[in-house]
Amino acid sequence: EPVLFQESLRYNCDPFKERSASDIWEALEEAQLAAWVASQGEAGGQSPAQPTGDLADYSLDRVSLGPPSNVEELLRVEIKEGGQNLSVGQRQMVAIAR
């Protein structure tokens, strides 16, 4: 079971603040989580993430090459304690991105 903290997605991917936003975005792309993160920004910004179906719903063609202009805002998606507001697969992908 992946360990996630009640904090932002950015903190969960880089708890020691060693990476830039673009580095974190690249890791999210490699973990195939970037499209889901981008969809959270489209869905209304700062509201807590909700498990929203299978990640296959977010096709890879929606993932841009390189970070979007609002990457800092997208990385502020709030993760609940233990990742309770994410599916098991999404939790694993966040841990992979870390």
PDB file of all heavy atoms in Angstrom, residues 10-11 13-27 72 75 97-98:
ATOM      1  N   ARG A  10       1.886  17.986  -5.202  1.00  0.00           N
ATOM      2  CA  ARG A  10       3.296  18.354  -5.311  1.00  0.00           C
ATOM      3  C   ARG A  10       4.084  17.829  -4.106  1.00  0.00           C
ATOM      4  O   ARG A  10       5.147  17.245  -4.246  1.00  0.00           O
ATOM      5  CB  ARG A  10       3.457  19.860  -5.422  1.00  0.00           C
ATOM      6  CG  ARG A  10       4.918  20.247  -5.565  1.00  0.00           C
ATOM      7  CD  ARG A  10       5.148  21.739  -5.607  1.00  0.00           C
ATOM      8  NE  ARG A  10       6.552  21.941  -5.847  1.00  0.00           N
ATOM      9  CZ  ARG A  10       7.069  22.511  -6.902  1.00  0.00           C
ATOM     10  NH1 ARG A  10       6.287  22.985  -7.834  1.00  0.00           N
ATOM     11  NH2 ARG A  10       8.361  22.628  -7.044  1.00  0.00           N
ATOM     12  N   TYR A  11       3.564  18.039  -2.897  1.00  0.00           N
ATOM     13  CA  TYR A  11       4.251  17.569  -1.691  1.00  0.00           C
ATOM     14  C   TYR A  11       4.376  16.048  -1.714  1.00  0.00           C
ATOM     15  O   TYR A  11       5.423  15.506  -1.349  1.00  0.00           O
ATOM     16  CB  TYR A  11       3.501  18.013  -0.439  1.00  0.00           C
ATOM     17  CG  TYR A  11       4.168  17.530   0.824  1.00  0.00           C
ATOM     18  CD1 TYR A  11       5.194  18.258   1.407  1.00  0.00           C
ATOM     19  CD2 TYR A  11       3.789  16.321   1.410  1.00  0.00           C
ATOM     20  CE1 TYR A  11       5.823  17.800   2.560  1.00  0.00           C
ATOM     21  CE2 TYR A  11       4.417  15.863   2.559  1.00  0.00           C
ATOM     22  CZ  TYR A  11       5.433  16.602   3.124  1.00  0.00           C
ATOM     23  OH  TYR A  11       6.063  16.133   4.253  1.00  0.00           O
ATOM     24  N   CYS A  13       4.603  14.124  -4.227  1.00  0.00           N
ATOM     25  CA  CYS A  13       5.585  13.702  -5.239  1.00  0.00           C
ATOM     26  C   CYS A  13       7.005  14.122  -4.878  1.00  0.00           C
ATOM     27  O   CYS A  13       7.967  13.463  -5.276  1.00  0.00           O
ATOM     28  CB  CYS A  13       5.221  14.294  -6.601  1.00  0.00           C
ATOM     29  SG  CYS A  13       3.755  13.567  -7.334  1.00  0.00           S
ATOM     30  N   ASP A  14       7.138  15.222  -4.138  1.00  0.00           N
ATOM     31  CA  ASP A  14       8.456  15.768  -3.822  1.00  0.00           C
ATOM     32  C   ASP A  14       8.458  16.371  -2.418  1.00  0.00           C
ATOM     33  O   ASP A  14       8.492  17.586  -2.252  1.00  0.00           O
ATOM     34  CB  ASP A  14       8.821  16.831  -4.874  1.00  0.00           C
ATOM     35  CG  ASP A  14      10.207  17.423  -4.664  1.00  0.00           C
ATOM     36  OD1 ASP A  14      11.093  16.727  -4.135  1.00  0.00           O
ATOM     37  OD2 ASP A  14      10.393  18.603  -5.032  1.00  0.00           O
ATOM     38  N   PRO A  15       8.417  15.530  -1.374  1.00  0.00           N
ATOM     39  CA  PRO A  15       8.300  16.039  -0.001  1.00  0.00           C
ATOM     40  C   PRO A  15       9.496  16.876   0.468  1.00  0.00           C
ATOM     41  O   PRO A  15       9.363  17.664   1.389  1.00  0.00           O
ATOM     42  CB  PRO A  15       8.137  14.780   0.844  1.00  0.00           C
ATOM     43  CG  PRO A  15       8.600  13.659   0.000  1.00  0.00           C
ATOM     44  CD  PRO A  15       8.427  14.073  -1.428  1.00  0.00           C
ATOM     45  N   PHE A  16      10.637  16.730  -0.167  1.00  0.00           N
ATOM     46  CA  PHE A  16      11.824  17.479   0.261  1.00  0.00           C
ATOM     47  C   PHE A  16      12.108  18.694  -0.620  1.00  0.00           C
ATOM     48  O   PHE A  16      13.149  19.330  -0.491  1.00  0.00           O
ATOM     49  CB  PHE A  16      13.046  16.551   0.311  1.00  0.00           C
ATOM     50  CG  PHE A  16      12.842  15.403   1.248  1.00  0.00           C
ATOM     51  CD1 PHE A  16      12.684  14.118   0.767  1.00  0.00           C
ATOM     52  CD2 PHE A  16      12.771  15.613   2.621  1.00  0.00           C
ATOM     53  CE1 PHE A  16      12.480  13.050   1.632  1.00  0.00           C
ATOM     54  CE2 PHE A  16      12.558  14.550   3.490  1.00  0.00           C
ATOM     55  CZ  PHE A  16      12.416  13.272   2.991  1.00  0.00           C
ATOM     56  N   LYS A  17      11.185  19.006  -1.519  1.00  0.00           N
ATOM     57  CA  LYS A  17      11.275  20.186  -2.401  1.00  0.00           C
ATOM     58  C   LYS A  17      12.597  20.236  -3.158  1.00  0.00           C
ATOM     59  O   LYS A  17      13.267  21.263  -3.214  1.00  0.00           O
ATOM     60  CB  LYS A  17      11.056  21.458  -1.597  1.00  0.00           C
ATOM     61  CG  LYS A  17       9.698  21.501  -0.953  1.00  0.00           C
ATOM     62  CD  LYS A  17       9.495  22.762  -0.160  1.00  0.00           C
ATOM     63  CE  LYS A  17       8.126  22.712   0.488  1.00  0.00           C
ATOM     64  NZ  LYS A  17       7.848  23.830   1.343  1.00  0.00           N
ATOM     65  N   GLU A  18      12.960  19.102  -3.744  1.00  0.00           N
ATOM     66  CA  GLU A  18      14.212  19.005  -4.486  1.00  0.00           C
ATOM     67  C   GLU A  18      14.024  19.162  -5.991  1.00  0.00           C
ATOM     68  O   GLU A  18      15.000  19.293  -6.716  1.00  0.00           O
ATOM     69  CB  GLU A  18      14.869  17.649  -4.213  1.00  0.00           C
ATOM     70  CG  GLU A  18      15.269  17.455  -2.765  1.00  0.00           C
ATOM     71  CD  GLU A  18      15.803  16.073  -2.470  1.00  0.00           C
ATOM     72  OE1 GLU A  18      15.436  15.114  -3.181  1.00  0.00           O
ATOM     73  OE2 GLU A  18      16.583  15.947  -1.508  1.00  0.00           O
ATOM     74  N   ARG A  19      12.800  19.127  -6.471  1.00  0.00           N
ATOM     75  CA  ARG A  19      12.527  19.129  -7.915  1.00  0.00           C
ATOM     76  C   ARG A  19      11.695  20.334  -8.321  1.00  0.00           C
ATOM     77  O   ARG A  19      10.901  20.857  -7.534  1.00  0.00           O
ATOM     78  CB  ARG A  19      11.782  17.856  -8.317  1.00  0.00           C
ATOM     79  CG  ARG A  19      12.482  16.584  -7.972  1.00  0.00           C
ATOM     80  CD  ARG A  19      13.668  16.376  -8.858  1.00  0.00           C
ATOM     81  NE  ARG A  19      14.336  15.134  -8.465  1.00  0.00           N
ATOM     82  CZ  ARG A  19      15.577  14.873  -8.750  1.00  0.00           C
ATOM     83  NH1 ARG A  19      16.303  15.720  -9.407  1.00  0.00           N
ATOM     84  NH2 ARG A  19      16.111  13.745  -8.363  1.00  0.00           N
ATOM     85  N   SER A  20      11.849  20.720  -9.578  1.00  0.00           N
ATOM     86  CA  SER A  20      11.037  21.812 -10.127  1.00  0.00           C
ATOM     87  C   SER A  20       9.664  21.277 -10.516  1.00  0.00           C
ATOM     88  O   SER A  20       9.456  20.061 -10.621  1.00  0.00           O
ATOM     89  CB  SER A  20      11.724  22.399 -11.367  1.00  0.00           C
ATOM     90  OG  SER A  20      11.677  21.453 -12.431  1.00  0.00           O
ATOM     91  N   ALA A  21       8.747  22.185 -10.742  1.00  0.00           N
ATOM     92  CA  ALA A  21       7.397  21.791 -11.169  1.00  0.00           C
ATOM     93  C   ALA A  21       7.457  21.012 -12.477  1.00  0.00           C
ATOM     94  O   ALA A  21       6.728  20.045 -12.664  1.00  0.00           O
ATOM     95  CB  ALA A  21       6.511  23.027 -11.310  1.00  0.00           C
ATOM     96  N   SER A  22       8.339  21.435 -13.395  1.00  0.00           N
ATOM     97  CA  SER A  22       8.427  20.690 -14.667  1.00  0.00           C
ATOM     98  C   SER A  22       8.980  19.287 -14.476  1.00  0.00           C
ATOM     99  O   SER A  22       8.551  18.363 -15.157  1.00  0.00           O
ATOM    100  CB  SER A  22       9.232  21.405 -15.727  1.00  0.00           C
ATOM    101  OG  SER A  22       9.973  22.432 -15.306  1.00  0.00           O
ATOM    102  N   ASP A  23       9.902  19.112 -13.539  1.00  0.00           N
ATOM    103  CA  ASP A  23      10.410  17.763 -13.242  1.00  0.00           C
ATOM    104  C   ASP A  23       9.295  16.880 -12.676  1.00  0.00           C
ATOM    105  O   ASP A  23       9.172  15.717 -13.044  1.00  0.00           O
ATOM    106  CB  ASP A  23      11.560  17.817 -12.225  1.00  0.00           C
ATOM    107  CG  ASP A  23      12.850  18.372 -12.796  1.00  0.00           C
ATOM    108  OD1 ASP A  23      12.984  18.425 -14.038  1.00  0.00           O
ATOM    109  OD2 ASP A  23      13.714  18.767 -11.999  1.00  0.00           O
ATOM    110  N   ILE A  24       8.500  17.455 -11.777  1.00  0.00           N
ATOM    111  CA  ILE A  24       7.397  16.692 -11.189  1.00  0.00           C
ATOM    112  C   ILE A  24       6.384  16.347 -12.265  1.00  0.00           C
ATOM    113  O   ILE A  24       5.889  15.220 -12.330  1.00  0.00           O
ATOM    114  CB  ILE A  24       6.740  17.480 -10.034  1.00  0.00           C
ATOM    115  CG1 ILE A  24       7.746  17.643  -8.892  1.00  0.00           C
ATOM    116  CG2 ILE A  24       5.471  16.786  -9.549  1.00  0.00           C
ATOM    117  CD1 ILE A  24       7.318  18.627  -7.823  1.00  0.00           C
ATOM    118  N   TRP A  25       6.083  17.300 -13.149  1.00  0.00           N
ATOM    119  CA  TRP A  25       5.126  17.044 -14.233  1.00  0.00           C
ATOM    120  C   TRP A  25       5.637  15.921 -15.129  1.00  0.00           C
ATOM    121  O   TRP A  25       4.883  15.037 -15.528  1.00  0.00           O
ATOM    122  CB  TRP A  25       4.855  18.301 -15.043  1.00  0.00           C
ATOM    123  CG  TRP A  25       3.745  18.084 -16.007  1.00  0.00           C
ATOM    124  CD1 TRP A  25       3.851  17.829 -17.341  1.00  0.00           C
ATOM    125  CD2 TRP A  25       2.350  18.037 -15.701  1.00  0.00           C
ATOM    126  NE1 TRP A  25       2.612  17.638 -17.881  1.00  0.00           N
ATOM    127  CE2 TRP A  25       1.677  17.766 -16.897  1.00  0.00           C
ATOM    128  CE3 TRP A  25       1.617  18.201 -14.534  1.00  0.00           C
ATOM    129  CZ2 TRP A  25       0.288  17.649 -16.953  1.00  0.00           C
ATOM    130  CZ3 TRP A  25       0.246  18.095 -14.596  1.00  0.00           C
ATOM    131  CH2 TRP A  25      -0.405  17.818 -15.788  1.00  0.00           C
ATOM    132  N   GLU A  26       6.926  15.936 -15.439  1.00  0.00           N
ATOM    133  CA  GLU A  26       7.515  14.876 -16.265  1.00  0.00           C
ATOM    134  C   GLU A  26       7.364  13.515 -15.591  1.00  0.00           C
ATOM    135  O   GLU A  26       7.025  12.519 -16.240  1.00  0.00           O
ATOM    136  CB  GLU A  26       8.993  15.177 -16.533  1.00  0.00           C
ATOM    137  CG  GLU A  26       9.648  14.182 -17.468  1.00  0.00           C
ATOM    138  CD  GLU A  26      11.096  14.539 -17.743  1.00  0.00           C
ATOM    139  OE1 GLU A  26      11.439  15.728 -17.757  1.00  0.00           O
ATOM    140  OE2 GLU A  26      11.886  13.586 -17.962  1.00  0.00           O
ATOM    141  N   ALA A  27       7.581  13.468 -14.280  1.00  0.00           N
ATOM    142  CA  ALA A  27       7.405  12.221 -13.540  1.00  0.00           C
ATOM    143  C   ALA A  27       5.948  11.769 -13.580  1.00  0.00           C
ATOM    144  O   ALA A  27       5.659  10.568 -13.719  1.00  0.00           O
ATOM    145  CB  ALA A  27       7.864  12.398 -12.091  1.00  0.00           C
ATOM    146  N   GLU A  72       1.837  24.759 -11.790  1.00  0.00           N
ATOM    147  CA  GLU A  72       1.885  25.011 -10.341  1.00  0.00           C
ATOM    148  C   GLU A  72       0.501  24.853  -9.731  1.00  0.00           C
ATOM    149  O   GLU A  72       0.337  24.252  -8.668  1.00  0.00           O
ATOM    150  CB  GLU A  72       2.447  26.394 -10.040  1.00  0.00           C
ATOM    151  CG  GLU A  72       3.907  26.552 -10.357  1.00  0.00           C
ATOM    152  CD  GLU A  72       4.824  25.815  -9.389  1.00  0.00           C
ATOM    153  OE1 GLU A  72       4.362  25.365  -8.321  1.00  0.00           O
ATOM    154  OE2 GLU A  72       6.011  25.703  -9.708  1.00  0.00           O
ATOM    155  N   LEU A  75      -0.554  21.155  -9.593  1.00  0.00           N
ATOM    156  CA  LEU A  75       0.144  20.381  -8.561  1.00  0.00           C
ATOM    157  C   LEU A  75      -0.395  20.664  -7.161  1.00  0.00           C
ATOM    158  O   LEU A  75      -0.023  19.991  -6.212  1.00  0.00           O
ATOM    159  CB  LEU A  75       1.655  20.659  -8.618  1.00  0.00           C
ATOM    160  CG  LEU A  75       2.359  20.150  -9.877  1.00  0.00           C
ATOM    161  CD1 LEU A  75       3.820  20.554  -9.863  1.00  0.00           C
ATOM    162  CD2 LEU A  75       2.197  18.650 -10.046  1.00  0.00           C
ATOM    163  N   ALA A  97       5.539   8.133  -9.307  1.00  0.00           N
ATOM    164  CA  ALA A  97       6.027   9.453  -9.707  1.00  0.00           C
ATOM    165  C   ALA A  97       7.015  10.005  -8.689  1.00  0.00           C
ATOM    166  O   ALA A  97       7.977  10.678  -9.038  1.00  0.00           O
ATOM    167  CB  ALA A  97       4.851  10.414  -9.887  1.00  0.00           C
ATOM    168  N   ARG A  98       6.786   9.706  -7.424  1.00  0.00           N
ATOM    169  CA  ARG A  98       7.691  10.174  -6.367  1.00  0.00           C
ATOM    170  C   ARG A  98       9.069   9.600  -6.601  1.00  0.00           C
ATOM    171  O   ARG A  98      10.078  10.205  -6.496  1.00  0.00           O
ATOM    172  CB  ARG A  98       7.161   9.755  -4.990  1.00  0.00           C
ATOM    173  CG  ARG A  98       7.982  10.304  -3.852  1.00  0.00           C
ATOM    174  CD  ARG A  98       7.518   9.861  -2.467  1.00  0.00           C
ATOM    175  NE  ARG A  98       6.088   9.966  -2.326  1.00  0.00           N
ATOM    176  CZ  ARG A  98       5.343   9.041  -1.702  1.00  0.00           C
ATOM    177  NH1 ARG A  98       5.897   7.968  -1.180  1.00  0.00           N
ATOM    178  NH2 ARG A  98       4.054   9.189  -1.599  1.00  0.00           N
TER     179      ARG A  98
END
